[in-house]
Structure formats: structure tokens, C-alpha cells
Amino acid sequence: MPKAIGIDLGTTFSCAAYMKGDATVEVVKNHYGNKITPSVVHFGRMFREVGEEAQAKRGSDPQNTVFQIKRFMGRSADDVEIRKRPYPFEILSTRRGDAAIRVTPRVEIGKEAVESKTYCPEQISSYILKYMMVLAIEEIGCDVKDAVITVPANFNNAQRQATKDAGEMAGLNVLRIINEPTAAALAYGYGLNSQKKRVVLVYDLGGGTFDVSIVRCQGLESDVLSTAGVTDLGGEDFDRLLFEYSSAELNERGITILPEEEFGLYKSCEEAKKTLSVSERATIELFKNGKSCACEITRSTFEELCINLFEKTIECVEDAINEARVDKESIDDIVLVGGSSRIPKVQQMVRGFFGHKELKFNIPPDHAVAVGAAILAESLSSNVETERSSIRGAVKLADVLPFSLGTNVSYDTFSVILRRNTQYPTSNMEYYSNGDDDQDEMHFLIIEGESARYSENRILGICKIPVQEKPVGENTVMTTFSVDENGILSVHVKDVDTGEERSAKVQTSRLTDEERLAMVRNARLEEEYEMIQRANYEARTAFGEAVHSVKRTVHKTYSDEKKAELKKLIEREESWIEGKNPSNEDLIARASTIKEKLTQIMKP
């Protein structure tokens, strides 16, 4: 029978696992005997290489060796999170503006040139997933089709959809897209083998992403209370800081680092980082013309270089706690996962934040996410033999939305349809009407964020629907936002009068990690700020409704004189708000004045 597997598709390393017949979880080994495989793809003249073989080509053929592709998923080519890092391979923009990678495999002298090829991030990720699937098939000895794939908790809809697409491109039946810390919490709860409810904080610092989730666990049930994180912070960023430090040190000594020497230095920085987890000092070496040019770094210097990034993770921990509406004392267990959680300063800061509470390392940090995904895969797969599987259908998960979702309404107002930290799968419906006379089409922006003003949030897509030309407020469109079990959003709109329907899925995103963190910290998680935003929304809605009331009245009066007065009132009020930033008090007062003037005009 085919097996179900869990795959942790990581930024720097990937890992796969499956459940054995004795209900234990086994982590798949690659051809080198390692349980984690570099998330690297090399494009050669004849074939592609994945994993260690591809990693080895980063030094000799960097232009055709793609790494950190997870950071490109669901992003545009001009995204600041892509452009702020130097990559040796060529990054292009598709016609839609999405990021793509172009490679031109090298050829030997005298041989026919190979054409350049362009790949989207989903394709390159699918090669990694395919490789992990093949490794699993070789180890298990039977076919593998069903899989659960993990993503960072703060991945948006476009990134989740891109990951699901990559899995399907790899030939996998993607059972579920699950958040990485949720998977780790499931693995931890499964290992406890206890039916007692425990509130667990999962601190997941990997090679390229950071997530923190607060989860209520009870056996095979995991109820996510909140999540926070940064999709562009991890071990690779610490390596980059060490690379910049050592480059500056060597340059001061008159040593120039050539492009072909950069990867060797980068690898030495990665090794130095690992050494500093067990030693107070480490050496970073650059091999030039067969000779070693070295510089030394201390653990304290390394901690100073990275302290801002470390502090960002603690800020996310605070955000998650506030959003979950729990206090530090009510958290039973603090579970550290992800390879970078081994850094002593990280452990010290987390332990200090919780009053020196004991940290849990029950599962190897590099394997925890894949193990949790494998447990869920076993539970979900219809191909698993029922008599063999003791957990078939037993896993119960309730994850939450990382951001609020909604659409735009008049006067720069964000109408929230699904609020942040709503458990999914979920669906919610709202009714909207036309804001202007004689519209033949209504446009619904698909928006993600926390500000009361839609202009301060991020547009994920658009859904358009034709409508009958009617006076303002007389068209009614039912708008439904649905998030499936994978956290992927679909939008459906229906004209109530004509029955016309349209649907849309989010395909692109322009969010950066800093913007995400800013939205979480400065809007949603601070209760005071949330209250301000809600008040702003209510004030703008009051103003908008007052103006729309006047517009509707225009069509109900037969007096030319009154019509003229009403149109002047509309023109004056729309001119007043245009380009301005009125206070809530001014908006409410203005709305009240509009109603009074409307009453006066319409008096017999």
C-alpha cells in the first residue's frame, strides 16, 4: 500500500518523515546518511541535482545553483526581501511581476551551447519535494503519493498556494498545508502520550524563517491560540552577518575576496556559527591560492552582530502571548525547534523572558516539524491501512489566520470579513452595495492587514462582477471569503438581483517581512491601537453612510430645487474629505451635520 509522508520544506534544509507500523515516526535518510537535505537545486548541462550534490556546486557554478527558493515563493521580483540580498543566480520578473529564476548551464569548449531556461519558484521547490519523495520511496520500499507539507505560520495565501502547487507539480497528493510550529506542537504532544491539556509555546527558529505559536495540546488534538513570526529571519541571516563581518576584516588587511571565493568563505562562516554554539571562539577561513587567510571571532562578537534579530524573535513571542490572551505563567511548556534554536544566546533570551523556565528539547530540533507533519499525514491518508494505523482520523487541528482579510469600501475604509486569529477552515459573508450611480461593474479588492484604512494594508488580488446600472445603494452583492484547511483564501461574489456570480483566488502578494511584523506589532496586537482603528472604522463608516443617504435621497425627490441642494451637499462633503486626514470626532460630527442638513432640505 502507498505510504503517507510529512515533508518540512525548509529554506536551507528539508526533511521527510513517515509513521512505521509500530506507530513510531521514522525520519528519512538521504544517500549520505543524513536526515536533513540541503534545499538546493543545481541546473547542469545534462540534468538537475538536488541536495548535497547541488550544494557542492554553489562554489564552482553559482550562477546555476539555486538556494533559498522558499524566500521567493509568492513574491514579486522587485520585492525588497528578494532584492536586499545578493544572489549569484539571475532573478527575472514574469509578465505578472512574479519572481522567476533564469539559468544557463555551462558547456564544455567545443560543445553546443545550452539554451537558458526560466523557472518559477514553485517549479524549483517541486524538484526538492520530488527528491524528498524519492528518498522516502527508496527507504520505505513502496509507493508514496500522499503528503502533508509544512509552511511558516506567517506565510500568506499566495505563498501557501504556491507551496501546494509545488507539491502537486512533484506528483504528490497534498493532503494538507500545515503551519510549521503547529506540526512541531503535534509532534511534541504525540511524544508526551498524555491526555492532560497543556498550553505549549513553540519557538521555531530555522534556517530561513522564524515562527512562534501558542498551542493547547491534548494527545492528538492541537488547538492553536495565536501565531506570530517573520518569514525572513533565520540561520542564513546569521551566516550573512558573519560573512559581512569577516569580509570587512579581510578587506582591512588588503585581502580581496573574488566572486568564486565567496561561497567558500560563506561556508566557513556557517561552520563558525555552529562552533560558537559549543565554544567561545571560532575561526573563519578564506582559502586563496592554496593558502589560508583567517580571522577569529568570539561568541560575544557574534551575539552583538545578531542581537537585533534575536530581539525580533522575542518581540514575536510577546505578540503571540498578547494575542492568545494568556500570561507567561499559564504556559506549561516551551518547546524549541529549528536548527538555529541551538544558539546559546537564543536559549538564554527565551529562558530569561520566561523567568528562567526550563526549555524542552524532546525532539531533535531539525526533525520536529517533519515528524508532526508525518503524524498528520498518517491520520489523513485514505491509502493507509486502517487496521495498521492506530491514529487514522484521530488528529484534530485548529489553526488560525495570521492576518485579517476583507475588502475595500468607500472613503478608504477596510471592511474586515475574516478577523486575524480566526480558526480555519472558515467562511464568512457580507453584503455590499454600489457606491456610485449607474455602475456597470463592482470591484472587490482582496485585502490583508490590520489597519482601518485599506490603503495602509496590502492588496492580494481583485474580484470583479458585472452589475445592472442602478442608482447608488440599489445593487446588492453577496461577498463570501472562505479559507480552507490549508489556509488558502477563496473569494466568491454574487449579484443578489441577477444571480451573476464570480470567484477569485489570491495569486500574488507584495508583503515584506518588516511590513508583516509592523502590522502585527503596531496594529493588531496592541489593544489600544486596535480600539483606535475600530473607532476610525466606525467614524468613516458613519460619514460614508451619511453621504450615501443623501445620494439615495436625490433619486427619491421630484423637486429640482431640492435635488440641486442635495447635489451641492454631496459635492461639498466629498470635496471636504478628499486628500484629508480628519479625526474621528470630525468625521462623526460631519456625519451628524450631514443628517441635519438632509432633514432641513427635505422638510415640506
Side-chain angles (χ1 to χ4, degrees):
M1 288 290 289
K3 289 286 295 185
I5 61 173
I7 302 177
D8 173 11
L9 179 61
T11 307
T12 53
F13 290 92
S14 292
C15 182
Y18 65 97
M19 183 166 282
K20 297 168 67 177
D22 59 359
T24 60
V25 180
E26 187 73 23
V27 179
V28 175
K29 292 181 181 178
N30 63 23
H31 300 152
Y32 291 81
N34 299 321
K35 292 186 175 182
I36 57 174
T37 297
S39 300
V40 183
V41 180
H42 173 256
F43 294 88
R45 178 177 175 271
M46 299 297 295
F47 50 83
R48 295 184 304 270
E49 294 172 304
V50 181
E52 276 89 343
E53 291 92 345
Q55 181 85 309
K57 300 292 176 61
R58 282 185 62 177
S60 60
D61 190 15
Q63 294 86 354
N64 298 305
T65 308
V66 183
F67 55 95
Q68 294 185 20
I69 194 62
K70 184 174 177 177
R71 286 182 165 172
F72 292 75
M73 299 285 273
R75 294 186 186 274
S76 65
D78 60 358
D79 193 302
V80 65
E81 294 306 328
I82 292 176
R83 291 301 179 187
K84 76 179 184 181
R85 285 181 175 78
Y87 288 99
F89 45 83
E90 188 178 4
I91 302 167
L92 300 178
S93 176
T94 67
R95 285 180 296 178
R96 292 189 309 168
D98 298 331
I101 309 298
R102 182 161 66 190
V103 295
T104 308
R106 289 180 174 181
V107 295
E108 297 176 19
I109 297 175
K111 292 199 174 182
E112 188 178 342
V114 177
E115 288 186 8
S116 298
K117 290 186 178 181
T118 301
Y119 298 91
C120 67
E122 293 91 333
Q123 286 175 294
I124 297 172
S125 293
S126 75
Y127 301 145
I128 300 169
L129 290 169
K130 180 78 171 181
Y131 184 74
M132 302 308 296
M133 181 180 74
V134 170
L135 290 176
I137 290 172
E138 291 176 354
E139 181 166 320
I140 299 168
C142 67
D143 197 14
V144 169
K145 288 295 180 186
D146 290 352
V148 168
I149 305 174
T150 64
V151 295
N154 261 29
F155 251 27
N156 63 30
N157 285 279
Q159 293 167 314
R160 290 171 190 274
Q161 184 64 57
T163 303
K164 190 170 187 291
D165 291 343
E168 291 172 353
M169 287 180 192
L172 291 165
N173 173 34
V174 183
L175 299 171
R176 186 74 56 86
I177 298 295
I178 180 178
N179 290 340
E180 290 163 4
T182 305
L186 179 60
Y188 179 74
Y190 184 74
L192 287 178
N193 195 25
S194 170
Q195 291 304 311
K196 182 181 177 182
K197 282 187 178 180
R198 300 186 71 80
V199 177
V200 178
L201 184 141
V202 180
Y203 180 101
D204 183 2
L205 184 58
T209 60
F210 171 72
D211 286 310
V212 57
S213 288
I214 297 177
V215 187
R216 184 179 289 113
C217 298
Q218 184 177 13
L220 290 172
E221 296 185 14
S222 295
D223 186 11
V224 180
L225 304 180
S226 68
T227 189
V230 184
T231 57
D232 200 9
L233 192 163
E236 287 276 359
D237 301 282
F238 309 145
D239 297 342
R240 171 58 56 182
L241 290 172
L242 282 175
F243 179 85
E244 293 172 355
Y245 169 85
S246 57
S247 296
E249 289 282 311
L250 293 169
N251 287 337
E252 283 185 9
R253 289 155 49 186
I255 300 171
T256 302
I257 303 166
L258 301 176
E260 60 268 24
E261 297 167 339
E262 288 184 354
F263 178 66
L265 180 61
Y266 193 89
K267 287 298 293 179
S268 184
C269 290
E270 183 183 356
E271 290 303 317
K273 176 190 67 179
K274 294 176 181 177
T275 299
L276 291 171
S277 290
V278 295
S279 176
E280 291 295 326
R281 294 178 181 275
T283 299
I284 300 173
E285 288 185 292
L286 169 69
F287 288 93
K288 198 172 184 68
N289 300 323
K291 296 181 180 179
S292 171
C293 305
C295 63
E296 192 175 74
I297 186 167
T298 63
R299 180 185 290 180
S300 60
T301 300
F302 169 67
E303 292 171 352
E304 288 173 10
L305 290 173
C306 302
I307 191 63
N308 289 339
L309 297 180
F310 295 159
E311 287 176 347
K312 267 189 178 183
T313 71
I314 300 301
E315 290 173 359
C316 288
V317 170
E318 290 182 290
D319 291 341
I321 290 174
N322 291 337
E323 191 64 26
R325 289 177 168 77
V326 298
D327 52 49
K328 290 190 284 189
E329 290 71 26
S330 66
I331 294 174
D332 297 305
D333 300 320
I334 304 157
V335 180
L336 267 62
V337 297
S340 297
S341 67
R342 293 187 176 93
I343 297 172
K345 184 65 174 179
V346 166
Q347 297 181 9
Q348 177 192 334
M349 292 176 71
V350 175
R351 191 179 290 112
F353 179 80
F354 286 97
H356 303 284
K357 196 170 185 176
E358 179 187 0
L359 307 180
K360 303 289 185 180
F361 301 93
N362 296 45
I363 305 171
D366 297 317
H367 309 157
V369 172
V371 168
I375 294 168
L376 179 59
E378 180 82 1
S379 176
L380 293 176
S381 178
S382 60
N383 290 321
V384 173
E385 297 172 13
T386 306
E387 62 272 16
R388 180 183 62 76
S389 177
S390 60
I391 68 164
R392 172 78 182 277
V395 174
K396 308 295 182 186
L397 293 180
D399 227 322
V400 295
L401 298 175
F403 304 103
S404 295
L405 298 164
T407 190
N408 59 305
V409 293
S410 300
Y411 309 109
D412 196 17
T413 303
F414 176 38
S415 178
V416 175
I417 297 176
L418 290 173
R419 294 199 173 276
R420 180 174 186 257
N421 277 333
T422 298
Q423 290 187 346
Y424 63 81
T426 186
S427 181
N428 194 31
M429 176 186 66
E430 295 288 347
Y431 289 93
Y432 298 94
S433 60
N434 54 316
D436 292 305
D437 292 328
D438 302 324
Q439 288 181 236
D440 59 5
E441 189 175 57
M442 289 178 65
H443 296 180
F444 293 88
L445 296 179
I446 303 168
I447 299 171
E448 179 180 63
E450 308 305 328
S451 175
R453 304 177 186 201
Y454 79 77
S455 62
E456 294 178 357
N457 296 313
R458 291 299 175 265
I459 298 171
L460 303 179
I462 189 169
C463 191
K464 302 177 182 180
I465 184 169
V467 293
Q468 295 177 331
E469 296 183 12
K470 292 184 178 182
V472 63
E474 292 193 10
N475 278 313
T476 303
V477 176
M478 182 173 65
T479 304
T480 304
F481 274 41
S482 301
V483 177
D484 65 15
E485 65 273 8
N486 297 306
I488 296 172
L489 170 67
S490 294
V491 176
H492 182 82
V493 294
K494 179 178 181 180
D495 188 323
V496 174
D497 297 327
T498 66
E500 190 81 28
E501 299 181 63
R502 292 290 186 274
S503 295
K505 277 195 174 183
V506 174
Q507 296 296 332
T508 59
S509 175
R510 297 294 183 263
L511 281 173
T512 66
D513 291 335
E514 285 79 7
E515 289 169 335
R516 288 175 179 278
L517 188 57
M519 281 193 292
V520 173
R521 287 194 57 78
N522 298 331
R524 196 67 178 93
L525 297 181
E526 295 178 8
E527 187 174 353
E528 180 181 352
Y529 187 70
E530 184 181 18
M531 291 173 64
I532 292 171
Q533 294 299 331
R534 185 178 292 114
N536 189 205
Y537 171 77
E538 291 172 353
R540 286 180 169 267
T541 299
F543 177 83
E545 288 179 347
V547 175
H548 279 274
S549 178
V550 179
K551 288 183 176 181
R552 287 193 295 269
T553 306
V554 169
H555 299 284
K556 296 178 181 179
T557 181
Y558 297 101
S559 169
D560 292 339
E561 182 179 345
K562 289 182 178 181
K563 276 187 178 181
E565 285 186 75
L566 291 171
K567 288 179 180 179
K568 283 183 181 179
L569 175 59
I570 294 168
E571 184 179 353
R572 182 169 62 248
E573 296 307 318
E574 291 191 334
S575 176
W576 173 80
I577 197 172
E578 186 177 357
K580 290 187 178 179
N581 183 23
S583 67
N584 295 341
E585 291 77 10
D586 287 343
L587 284 165
I588 292 171
R590 201 82 179 190
S592 178
T593 300
I594 293 170
K595 291 177 182 178
E596 290 175 3
K597 288 184 180 296
L598 176 60
T599 301
Q600 291 172 6
I601 293 171
M602 296 306 296
K603 277 183 180 180

